[in-house]
Amino acid sequence: NAGVTQTPKFHILKIGQSMTLQCTQDMNHNYMYWYRQDPGMGLKLIYYSVGAGITDKGEVPNGYNVSRSTTEDFPLRLELAAPSQTSVYFCASVQPGGLGTGELFFGEGSRLTVL
Amino acid sequence: AQRVTQPEKLLSVFKGAPVELKCNYSYSGSPELFWYVQYSRQRLQLLLRHISRESIKGFTADLNKGETSFHLKKPFAQEEDSAMYYCALSGGSNYKLTFGKGTLLTVNP
């Protein structure tokens, strides 16, 4: 049981290029999330999904796209990368249950630099 | 709108000293509050949640609805407690978490 796996761990991108950050989980969780973490700013929600075929915007969705074709995978695509997208990206998943459950399981993060 | 405030970016204490990491929140309904921790070179992980009223690694946190606070406390800090701590709020469906900006705790020997 690997939990939440993200690839790549590190990547350098040129301005204007596009790329996809991969996220997969083997816990059969319905809910998945993408956050970005910037120094001194905490984590901001980019996009989330409550199940295959369903996605929705979070707090900072501009410049990103997602898809959810399977329960396991939730890739994040950066279109026309900009320096402002330099960040550490975290994927997370949760299986909703009763009140008090809902612990998010996080991946190890993907550190992206846009130059 | 929901908001989580952690007023201290950095907190430094000596081993054996008490530690308190502050967290205040803003939410109109009944929130679920969490503390997540990120140790060096490790992934973010849940430390504790208010609904469980549990003590994990000697840490406790009590939800004070009157003061809208969820401060994290430990009576005797250990060096291995050095980490980044995030307070988070889940205010509705979909388990979307709103995070504070985090407090970096350093426990000195």
Side-chain angles (χ1 to χ4, degrees):
Chain A
N1 192 338
V4 179
T5 303
Q6 293 181 233
T7 57
K9 285 189 170 56
F10 303 92
H11 194 79
I12 298 174
L13 204 57
K14 292 184 179 178
I15 294 172
Q17 288 184 328
S18 300
M19 78 162 296
T20 299
L21 301 179
Q22 301 292 343
C23 175
T24 186
Q25 51 91 9
D26 61 0
M27 297 173 284
N28 204 33
H29 287 171
N30 284 329
Y31 289 22
M32 296 187 74
Y33 311 82
W34 274 106
Y35 285 90
R36 58 177 288 171
Q37 182 188 44
D38 300 303
M41 297 301 293
L43 283 82
K44 304 283 189 186
L45 182 64
I46 305 171
Y47 269 96
Y48 68 100
S49 167
V50 300
I54 307 169
T55 62
D56 207 347
K57 295 178 181 179
E59 187 180 354
V60 290
N62 292 343
Y64 307 94
N65 273 304
V66 293
S67 60
R68 185 91 183 274
S69 57
T70 67
T71 300
E72 294 78 21
D73 300 307
F74 189 41
L76 177 72
R77 181 152 181 87
L78 282 73
E79 305 280 2
L80 298 174
S84 61
Q85 293 178 301
T86 294
S87 189
V88 181
Y89 293 85
F90 287 97
C91 179
S93 73
V94 68
Q95 185 59 27
L99 186 66
T101 59
E103 172 185 352
L104 261 64
F105 290 86
F106 283 84
E108 291 183 303
S110 297
R111 185 177 295 273
L112 180 67
T113 301
V114 182
L115 298 174
Chain B
Q2 54 196 58
R3 187 168 63 247
V4 176
T5 303
Q6 293 179 249
E8 304 133 332
K9 279 189 179 179
L10 303 170
L11 186 60
S12 182
V13 301
F14 286 102
K15 177 183 172 182
V19 63
E20 180 180 49
L21 290 83
K22 291 184 167 51
C23 172
N24 289 90
Y25 67 91
S26 173
Y27 183 66
S28 57
S30 292
E32 289 187 57
L33 275 299
F34 304 83
W35 276 99
Y36 278 79
V37 61
Q38 188 176 28
Y39 299 103
S40 179
R41 289 185 291 278
Q42 293 189 28
R43 64 185 73 197
L44 213 64
Q45 58 188 282
L46 177 68
L47 180 61
L48 52 80
R49 68 195 103 197
H50 91 268
I51 199 78
S52 302
R53 302 185 64 82
E54 57 202 342
S55 173
I56 302 293
K57 298 184 178 182
F59 284 98
T60 59
D62 291 318
L63 179 61
N64 186 322
K65 291 188 177 181
E67 296 182 358
T68 59
S69 68
F70 188 57
H71 303 328
L72 183 68
K73 299 177 184 179
K74 185 170 183 176
F76 307 104
Q78 302 299 314
E79 289 180 67
E80 55 264 30
D81 296 328
S82 295
M84 178 69 83
Y85 290 81
Y86 291 99
C87 182
L89 179 155
S90 176
S93 61
N94 300 328
Y95 291 93
K96 293 184 293 180
L97 289 181
T98 297
F99 285 86
K101 293 184 178 182
T103 298
L104 180 62
L105 173 66
T106 302
V107 181
N108 300 296

